[in-house]
Amino acid sequence: MGEADKKIDEKELEIPEVLPVLPVRDIVVFPYMIIPLFVGREKSISSIDSSLSTNRMIMLLTQKDLNTENPSIDELYHTGTVGLIMRMLKLPDGRVKILVQGITKARCFNIHEKDNIFVAHIQKIEERKPDVLSLEVEALIRSVKEQIEKALSLGKTILPDIMIVIENLDDPGRLADLVASNIGLKTEQAQHILEIEDQVVRLKRVSEVLNREIELLIVQQKIQTEARGEIDKTQREYFLREQLKAIQKELGDIDEKMEEIREFKKKIEEAKMPDKVQKEAEKQLKRLEKMHPDSAEAATVRTYLDWLVELPWSKSTKDNLNIKTARKVLNEDHYDLEKIKDRILEHLSVKKLNPKMKGPILCFIGPPGVGKTSLGKSIARALGKEFVRMSLGGVRDEAEIRGHRRTYVGALPGRIIQGIKQAGTNNPVFMLDEVDKIGTDFRGDPSSALLEVLDPEQNNSFVDHYIAVAFDLTKVMFITTGNIADTIPGPLKDRMEIISLSGYTAEEKVGIAKNYLIPKQYQEHGLTKGVLRISSAALNLLITQYTREAGVRNLERTIAKLCRKVAKHIAEGKRRKFLITNSSLTKYLGAPRFLPEEEMKKDEVGVATGLAWTESGGDIIYVEATTMKGKGTLTITGQLGEVMKESAHAALSYVRSRAKELGINEDLFSEKDIHIHVPAGAIPKDGPSAGITITTAVASALIGIPIHKGIAMTGEVTLRGTVLPIGGLKEKTLAAKRHGIRKIIIPNRNQKDLDDIPKYIRKDMEFVLCETMDYVLEVALKRPAAV
């Protein structure tokens, strides 16, 4: 070091005016610094070669952006340090390592490129130590030295040799340069300090930088102390817990609470919940861990966690996508119902092509007893899914669907989440029975709560109030059932695909009884075909005269009654074999309940046969009209609804407007009272489809011409005599056929609905299509041949 100083002193005045420039990055070289530099850039190596071939001196300028590979003149700071290359070593990879010592600061002018290197004209910056140090400067020097020691005590790394030099320095300029070069400043800060010519100002700037560095070190030490304290605390807790476990193990004690927590942790891992749900479960588990096990709050959290871990977040059953097997299962379980079977097979086919499809929302609408609920079970069996059924009949509380919030005592999830848990999979067939009978009161509107459940666009994140996290219902196949679609709220109906199930014909009922009902009742009553046999004629009689319904529930009950009677006889030891025929049926079941209508054995004036649709299927109604002396008043009886009463008034107005064409004396309307009655007065009746029936009955009574007894009719009528379309044509046709009527008058616009009626039902039927009431009267009234 001493020899180097001597050499520098000797050459101090011999610094040339022009020197090659060596751009350095990420470091600012100060005077008296000895620093190794690795040089790899071609231009920089050329500068070193030029320096070594002359006076071994080089101008060290820091580049402004360290990422620039080949900096231009403008990208270099113009104040730097003249350095002396003390040693040079060429490395195998082509780079050069030099050991350079800073001699003096210098300012560059007219930097230009010459022979592929930067060359600069330089002006040495002279620095003189003050002859006498003022008290202020001495205090500043002492303050900087104390700051360095404080930084050292707070963890700043400075070499011991450098510290010895700092302790012995009393030159403010050299002290400022030495401190600035050893405290790890950013390039911009170091360059700024290098450029300050006044030694005292430079030392003050260094003091300010040191102050900030000490503040940073204090904050850093505080953070490290806190972090270490937290780690120590955690390690201590862990150590104590492990000791406690060891003690309990030795004593044979079992910590029930910890055992429960471990069990919940294991269940949470096994449940494979979505991330958000898992975070909520872990959060609640931490709460439970801190609670007393016997507190009421702990019981609530425990129940909540039980629900979370038991829900099938990721458990699914594999769909049976074999179309032939599914068709076989559906045919085994249900007779006919071809439309519905085709719809289920279509769903299976689409699922086969697109496994990610959302579950459809099917709604089966039809009269009681036609197999809507059992069809759901059959679909689940065909698809290989779990089956869950929930009845919505009479549900008035929204919490039945969405659940109660956990703040309430005895809170539970809604029936949807309960059903999913019961199924144990997240893709069951979920049947919502009696969707048309949901109620509404002060506790909310359950049908509105169902909107989210039954909307494929929303139910991917169904939130139950109790669970309070989203559950994906898109894989669930929802099936709803109801008797009538009219009472289902519009928005709810819009989310479902409505499939109508009609009542069964006598032929269909025979097939259902033979294939399903009779074998089932034999099994339930311990009978066999060898013990009891019901003849085809007896079965037909049982269907037509002992039951009259759209479905087959009463038919099944009647067959069960027959089986019970036979079982009783066998138990008494009377006989071992029974054959039920037409003649022996009354012996077991008594007299027939339904006999063919007696009142329509002949054509009568003022009595028309209408067709009605009810929740239990189709039925026939008789509309009677009669006239009597009076003042032209209209009396309507038979417990008719408002719409049907309006139809009666419209019928009378039409007949009065067409009196002349129909051959009715107009004075009759002011001299006669008209009474319209629909028998079976205890049964409420309503709807517009009896319009043409009432009009025909009124016209017949006023004209005095009888109506064909073998004709039934249905249709709404306007004041101008236009016949409007009606619904439930298949059920009404079945009702007519059951009562032996083979000719039906229907609106012309219902012709399209004839395609929905099976061919075997239409086979013996004659459908008369009409557009006007005049044509209806022409067909229905039995006018004499002369007329």
Side-chain angles (χ1 to χ4, degrees), residues 37 125 163 180 233 281 469 480 493 564 589 694 707:
L37 294 174
I125 298 172
M163 282 303 298
K233 184 184 172 188
V469 286
T480 61
K493 195 193 298 183
R564 285 197 304 274
L589 300 178
I694 297 170
I707 301 166

mmCIF file of all heavy atoms in Angstrom, residues 37 125 163 180 233 281 469 480 493 564 589 694 707:
data_model
loop_
_atom_site.group_PDB
_atom_site.id
_atom_site.type_symbol
_atom_site.label_atom_id
_atom_site.label_comp_id
_atom_site.label_asym_id
_atom_site.label_seq_id
_atom_site.Cartn_x
_atom_site.Cartn_y
_atom_site.Cartn_z
ATOM 1 N N LEU A 37 -11.822 -5.346 -11.016
ATOM 2 C CA LEU A 37 -12.901 -5.192 -12.006
ATOM 3 C C LEU A 37 -12.789 -6.301 -13.053
ATOM 4 O O LEU A 37 -11.678 -6.611 -13.505
ATOM 5 C CB LEU A 37 -12.801 -3.830 -12.710
ATOM 6 C CG LEU A 37 -13.043 -2.577 -11.866
ATOM 7 C CD1 LEU A 37 -12.742 -1.334 -12.701
ATOM 8 C CD2 LEU A 37 -14.459 -2.521 -11.326
ATOM 9 N N ILE A 125 -9.814 17.534 -10.688
ATOM 10 C CA ILE A 125 -10.523 18.326 -9.652
ATOM 11 C C ILE A 125 -9.617 18.379 -8.432
ATOM 12 O O ILE A 125 -9.347 17.347 -7.792
ATOM 13 C CB ILE A 125 -11.896 17.674 -9.300
ATOM 14 C CG1 ILE A 125 -12.809 17.653 -10.539
ATOM 15 C CG2 ILE A 125 -12.579 18.425 -8.163
ATOM 16 C CD1 ILE A 125 -14.086 16.876 -10.379
ATOM 17 N N MET A 163 -12.280 0.023 9.056
ATOM 18 C CA MET A 163 -12.657 0.719 10.294
ATOM 19 C C MET A 163 -11.441 1.364 10.960
ATOM 20 O O MET A 163 -11.516 2.478 11.491
ATOM 21 C CB MET A 163 -13.329 -0.258 11.264
ATOM 22 C CG MET A 163 -14.769 -0.580 10.941
ATOM 23 S SD MET A 163 -15.848 0.844 10.847
ATOM 24 C CE MET A 163 -15.725 1.493 12.514
ATOM 25 N N ALA A 180 -18.419 6.669 1.928
ATOM 26 C CA ALA A 180 -19.375 6.518 0.810
ATOM 27 C C ALA A 180 -19.090 5.260 0.007
ATOM 28 O O ALA A 180 -19.999 4.600 -0.501
ATOM 29 C CB ALA A 180 -19.331 7.750 -0.080
ATOM 30 N N LYS A 233 -42.139 -18.264 20.037
ATOM 31 C CA LYS A 233 -43.403 -18.537 20.729
ATOM 32 C C LYS A 233 -44.077 -19.787 20.133
ATOM 33 O O LYS A 233 -44.549 -20.662 20.861
ATOM 34 C CB LYS A 233 -44.327 -17.322 20.586
ATOM 35 C CG LYS A 233 -45.643 -17.447 21.355
ATOM 36 C CD LYS A 233 -46.536 -16.246 21.068
ATOM 37 C CE LYS A 233 -47.906 -16.466 21.682
ATOM 38 N NZ LYS A 233 -48.869 -15.424 21.281
ATOM 39 N N ALA A 281 -64.166 -23.973 6.283
ATOM 40 C CA ALA A 281 -64.138 -25.118 7.203
ATOM 41 C C ALA A 281 -62.952 -25.010 8.156
ATOM 42 O O ALA A 281 -63.090 -25.232 9.370
ATOM 43 C CB ALA A 281 -64.077 -26.424 6.413
ATOM 44 N N VAL A 469 -72.038 -21.224 2.086
ATOM 45 C CA VAL A 469 -71.041 -21.301 1.005
ATOM 46 C C VAL A 469 -71.720 -21.913 -0.214
ATOM 47 O O VAL A 469 -72.734 -22.605 -0.082
ATOM 48 C CB VAL A 469 -69.806 -22.152 1.404
ATOM 49 C CG1 VAL A 469 -68.928 -21.418 2.378
ATOM 50 C CG2 VAL A 469 -70.218 -23.494 1.981
ATOM 51 N N THR A 480 -89.660 -32.294 -11.511
ATOM 52 C CA THR A 480 -90.782 -31.808 -10.706
ATOM 53 C C THR A 480 -92.065 -32.448 -11.213
ATOM 54 O O THR A 480 -92.143 -32.859 -12.368
ATOM 55 C CB THR A 480 -90.896 -30.274 -10.787
ATOM 56 O OG1 THR A 480 -91.117 -29.901 -12.151
ATOM 57 C CG2 THR A 480 -89.631 -29.594 -10.290
ATOM 58 N N LYS A 493 -92.255 -21.802 -13.909
ATOM 59 C CA LYS A 493 -92.652 -22.647 -15.037
ATOM 60 C C LYS A 493 -91.701 -22.453 -16.216
ATOM 61 O O LYS A 493 -91.388 -23.400 -16.940
ATOM 62 C CB LYS A 493 -94.081 -22.292 -15.445
ATOM 63 C CG LYS A 493 -94.736 -23.332 -16.367
ATOM 64 C CD LYS A 493 -96.011 -22.805 -17.010
ATOM 65 C CE LYS A 493 -97.075 -22.465 -15.999
ATOM 66 N NZ LYS A 493 -98.327 -22.025 -16.672
ATOM 67 N N ARG A 564 -107.112 -59.608 -0.836
ATOM 68 C CA ARG A 564 -107.341 -59.808 0.610
ATOM 69 C C ARG A 564 -108.485 -60.777 0.859
ATOM 70 O O ARG A 564 -108.436 -61.628 1.750
ATOM 71 C CB ARG A 564 -107.647 -58.456 1.290
ATOM 72 C CG ARG A 564 -106.442 -57.571 1.469
ATOM 73 C CD ARG A 564 -106.708 -56.471 2.488
ATOM 74 N NE ARG A 564 -107.874 -55.658 2.161
ATOM 75 C CZ ARG A 564 -107.839 -54.589 1.352
ATOM 76 N NH1 ARG A 564 -106.692 -54.236 0.789
ATOM 77 N NH2 ARG A 564 -108.926 -53.894 1.123
ATOM 78 N N LEU A 589 -116.399 -58.177 -4.501
ATOM 79 C CA LEU A 589 -116.305 -56.718 -4.416
ATOM 80 C C LEU A 589 -117.647 -56.015 -4.244
ATOM 81 O O LEU A 589 -117.697 -54.785 -4.116
ATOM 82 C CB LEU A 589 -115.625 -56.164 -5.683
ATOM 83 C CG LEU A 589 -114.201 -56.653 -5.957
ATOM 84 C CD1 LEU A 589 -113.683 -56.062 -7.262
ATOM 85 C CD2 LEU A 589 -113.255 -56.276 -4.815
ATOM 86 N N ILE A 694 -123.414 -25.461 -23.668
ATOM 87 C CA ILE A 694 -124.498 -24.658 -23.084
ATOM 88 C C ILE A 694 -125.335 -24.027 -24.199
ATOM 89 O O ILE A 694 -126.579 -24.033 -24.142
ATOM 90 C CB ILE A 694 -123.905 -23.561 -22.158
ATOM 91 C CG1 ILE A 694 -123.166 -24.197 -20.976
ATOM 92 C CG2 ILE A 694 -124.990 -22.626 -21.650
ATOM 93 C CD1 ILE A 694 -122.345 -23.219 -20.146
ATOM 94 N N ILE A 707 -131.431 -33.230 -28.997
ATOM 95 C CA ILE A 707 -129.999 -33.303 -29.331
ATOM 96 C C ILE A 707 -129.599 -34.770 -29.418
ATOM 97 O O ILE A 707 -130.046 -35.592 -28.621
ATOM 98 C CB ILE A 707 -129.150 -32.603 -28.237
ATOM 99 C CG1 ILE A 707 -129.572 -31.135 -28.105
ATOM 100 C CG2 ILE A 707 -127.659 -32.697 -28.537
ATOM 101 C CD1 ILE A 707 -129.058 -30.447 -26.869
#
